[in-house]
């Protein structure tokens, strides 16, 4: 089945197949064609170009006059699978408690772990489905989802099986990350080595056997997993073929980034606090830095110093961090707008970060993240707008008309 989009006001993020990520000054350029056509053949992009080159083909035709078309968002960092909510902590923070204070009195990740334990696998699937449906409507066409609220063998497997079921039942690409090292469960509060042994000796072999994850994550942070512990987890994960993608530098810079680069992590995520040494460590590496501005917004912590990093020549990706504690939102449109408004990224930089660089940060840059012949036909069609600048400018207004995934309209 062929679909031909014609009279597109502007077709954004057109790339050749060899472009796998965008770094530094190149992030300021968002290649596009004005007054364009786009031909989709089944689930793939077959052709595109200026309207004067539009081919005559047997296809259903969609007129996109006044509208912009861009690739769907690639959200490379989420915790979409969780149980219940943490609204009480939200109110506690309004009343003056910090994220750290709430975590120290048994809230935070351990609160979500308790709720997850009390929730059946089927119920967890139903709760997560609602969020996945919502983010697809908001233009997300590929998503990474982490475990990490189980913190027991059974709990972690339950989460990963739900992710696997979502991946099987949804058209969008879903990448799965094992985050057993998210927090120390109460039973292991004084026995960190014991919990890490459990992750390595019990959880990892089962996850590998069932093929439940491609990536391994850890929360490398003061009070959570030390750099040495994170390194042990990365090494163990790699021995089972799991590639590291690590939570690091959210509250403190503890030299975790250079350790992640040394272990060839695909991404380092959060980076609200970044030192010059961290930036040096990332230069020339394969590791994609990932910023999560909705998290900074929601819990009032600093924003990732995007300008400093991009000006130093680094690439940067943007993701939501959708989770019940620090970011109860999976809206990539808000992420792009906030990156422009609060992190001083230009719209071009933010869109590059939320599409091609996001795809790279979850290992799908060969099939997603740009308008490229042979890539998945995953596109956002906007409502009529004056230019793509309106997307971050009119933050909070839904400017998406349609979302297509694998060449089919999402309804
Ligand atoms: O990415 N920082 C670690 N993990 C999550 C939050 C976990 C939670 O509070 O539930 C994050 O922000
Ligand atoms: Fe996270």
């Amino acid at each position: 089945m062929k679909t031909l989009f014609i009279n597109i006001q502007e077709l954004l993020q057109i790339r050749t197949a060899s472009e796998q990520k965008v770094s530094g000054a190149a992030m300021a350029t968002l290649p596009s064609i004005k007054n364009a056509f786009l031909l989709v053949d089944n689930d793939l992009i077959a052709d595109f170009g200026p309207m004067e080159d539009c081919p005559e083909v047997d296809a259903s035709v969609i007129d996109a006059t006044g509208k912009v078309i861009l690739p769907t968002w690639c959200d490379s960092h989420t915790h979409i699978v969780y149980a219940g909510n943490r609204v009480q902590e939200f109110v506690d923070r309004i009343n003056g408690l910090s994220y750290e204070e709430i975590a120290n009195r048994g809230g935070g990740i351990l609160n979500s772990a308790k709720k997850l334990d009390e929730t059946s696998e089927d119920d967890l699937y139903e709760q997560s489905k609602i969020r996945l449906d919502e983010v697809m409507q908001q233009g997300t066409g590929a998503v990474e989802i982490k475990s990490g609220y189980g913190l027991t063998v059974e709990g972690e497997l339950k989460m990963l099986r739900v992710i696997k079921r979502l991946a099987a039942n949804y058209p969008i690409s879903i990448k799965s990350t094992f985050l057993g090292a998210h927090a120390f469960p109460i039973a292991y509060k004084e026995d960190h080595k014991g919990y890490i042994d459990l992750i390595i000796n019990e959880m990892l072999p089962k996850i590998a056997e069932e093929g439940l994850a491609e990536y391994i994550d850890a929360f490398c942070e003061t009070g959570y997993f030390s750099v040495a512990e994170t390194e042990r987890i990365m090494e163990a994960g790699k021995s089972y073929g799991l590639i590291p993608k690590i939570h690091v530098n959210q509250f403190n810079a503890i030299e975790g980034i250079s350790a992640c680069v040394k272990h060839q992590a695909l991404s380092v995520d959060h980076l609200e606090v970044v030192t010059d040494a961290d930036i040096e460590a990332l230069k020339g590496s394969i590791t994609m830095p990932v910023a999560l501005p909705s998290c900074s917004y929601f819990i009032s912590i600093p924003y990732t110093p995007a300008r400093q990093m991009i000006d130093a020549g680094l690439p940067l990706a943007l993701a939501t961090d959708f989770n019940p504690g620090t970011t109860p939102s999976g809206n990539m449109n808000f992420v792009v707008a906030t990156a422009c408004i609060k992190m001083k990224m230009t719209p071009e930089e933010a869109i590059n970060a939320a599409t091609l660089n996001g795809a790279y940060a979850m290992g799908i840059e060969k099939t997603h993240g740009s308008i490229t012949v042979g890539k998945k036909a995953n596109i956002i069609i906007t409502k009529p707008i004056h230019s793509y600048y309106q997307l971050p400018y009119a933050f909070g207004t839904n400017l998406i008309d349609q979302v297509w995934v694998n060449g089919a309209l999402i309804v």
Side-chain angles (χ1 to χ4, degrees):
M1 201 194 93
K2 288 192 171 79
T3 310
L4 180 65
F5 299 88
I6 58 166
N7 301 324
I8 305 163
Q9 183 196 105
E10 192 163 1
L11 179 64
L12 302 185
Q13 189 60 311
I14 53 162
R15 299 275 176 185
T16 60
S18 63
E19 294 173 280
Q20 304 197 340
K21 62 176 173 182
V22 209
S23 308
M27 286 188 71
T29 304
L30 185 66
S32 75
I33 303 173
K34 289 195 166 136
N35 193 23
F37 79 90
L38 172 69
L39 180 65
V40 167
D41 189 356
N42 288 311
D43 60 330
L44 300 178
I45 294 169
D47 195 8
F48 60 86
M51 269 313 284
E52 57 264 30
D53 297 340
C54 188
E56 283 199 15
V57 282
D58 184 16
S60 55
V61 175
I62 294 180
D63 190 338
T65 298
K67 300 174 178 184
V68 168
I69 292 186
L70 66 157
T72 50
W73 309 124
C74 295
D75 188 355
S76 67
H77 180 138
T78 84
H79 311 248
I80 278 180
V81 172
Y82 62 81
N85 64 70
R86 306 230 297 268
V87 285
Q88 186 54 49
E89 294 179 9
F90 170 59
V91 177
D92 290 345
R93 266 188 299 105
I94 295 170
N95 286 321
L97 287 182
S98 70
Y99 180 78
E100 195 182 4
E101 285 163 336
I102 290 167
N104 287 343
R105 48 172 217 185
I109 295 165
L110 297 184
N111 184 358
S112 284
K114 186 167 173 290
K115 291 188 163 72
L116 190 117
D117 185 50
E118 294 160 354
T119 305
S120 72
E121 194 169 310
D122 284 344
D123 191 8
L124 187 62
Y125 177 79
E126 293 304 322
Q127 291 185 33
S128 307
K129 232 169 143 295
I130 294 169
R131 290 184 281 270
L132 192 58
D133 283 324
E134 183 190 21
V135 301
M136 287 169 65
Q137 293 296 339
Q138 292 168 338
T140 295
V143 71
E144 179 259 18
I145 309 177
K146 300 170 194 300
S147 69
Y149 293 122
L151 309 182
T152 60
V153 177
E154 274 317 307
E156 288 297 306
L157 289 175
K158 176 160 76 178
M159 288 189 78
L160 291 167
R161 287 179 188 136
V162 167
I163 299 171
K164 190 174 185 173
R165 215 160 125 194
L166 292 169
N169 294 343
Y170 276 79
I172 72 170
S173 178
I174 296 179
K175 291 287 171 182
S176 176
T177 299
F178 169 49
L179 175 55
H182 200 186
F184 289 99
I186 295 159
Y188 290 92
K189 204 168 172 231
E190 305 302 332
D191 181 16
H192 287 191
K193 186 179 172 298
Y195 183 58
I196 296 169
D197 286 344
L198 184 77
I199 290 175
I200 293 174
N201 301 329
E202 305 284 333
M203 298 183 191
L204 262 174
K206 290 204 172 68
I207 289 162
E209 192 186 307
E210 278 190 51
L212 288 173
E214 256 180 82
Y215 299 109
I216 185 152
D217 196 347
F219 187 15
C220 181
E221 181 60 62
T222 308
Y224 292 82
F225 293 80
S226 69
V227 175
E229 289 166 343
T230 303
E231 289 201 69
R232 206 182 144 212
I233 290 157
M234 287 194 279
E235 271 163 23
K238 286 201 303 189
S239 74
Y240 284 97
L242 272 58
I243 298 163
K245 274 171 70 64
I246 305 292
H247 280 76
V248 66
N249 287 48
Q250 182 175 7
F251 302 108
N252 298 285
I254 56 173
E255 294 178 16
I257 290 181
S258 59
C260 294
V261 169
K262 185 175 88 189
H263 289 279
Q264 299 200 296
L266 179 60
S267 71
V268 283
D269 304 38
H270 270 290
L271 318 180
E272 287 86 346
V273 182
V274 177
T275 66
D276 291 343
D278 292 327
I279 290 179
E280 282 310 308
L282 283 164
K283 278 186 188 168
S285 76
I286 61 153
T287 305
M288 176 65 73
V290 180
L292 310 166
S294 297
C295 173
S296 300
Y297 176 83
F298 189 71
I299 62 167
S300 302
I301 60 174
Y303 288 89
T304 300
R307 272 279 49 90
Q308 200 189 332
M309 295 167 72
I310 294 170
D311 294 347
L314 297 182
L316 189 66
L318 288 166
T320 63
D321 199 18
F322 198 172
N323 77 76
T326 69
T327 323
S329 161
N331 190 338
M332 282 293 285
N333 306 285
F334 179 80
V335 164
V336 167
T338 306
C340 295
I341 297 161
K342 293 293 182 186
M343 294 159 64
K344 304 292 174 218
M345 291 173 73
T346 64
E348 291 80 6
E349 287 171 336
I351 293 172
N352 276 318
T355 56
L356 189 55
N357 285 358
Y360 179 94
M362 55 176 145
I364 56 168
E365 73 283 355
K366 291 194 171 67
T367 49
H368 293 75
S370 62
I371 302 296
T372 301
V373 171
K375 279 198 182 183
K376 289 287 180 192
N378 285 12
I379 55 167
I380 292 170
I381 307 173
T382 70
K383 294 174 182 169
I385 53 179
H386 47 72
S387 83
Y388 63 84
Y389 288 166
Q390 199 172 335
L391 296 174
Y393 171 75
F395 78 96
T397 299
N398 175 18
L399 294 172
I400 295 179
D401 181 21
Q402 291 184 346
V403 180
W404 289 61
V405 170
N406 295 342
L409 177 65
I410 296 296
V411 272

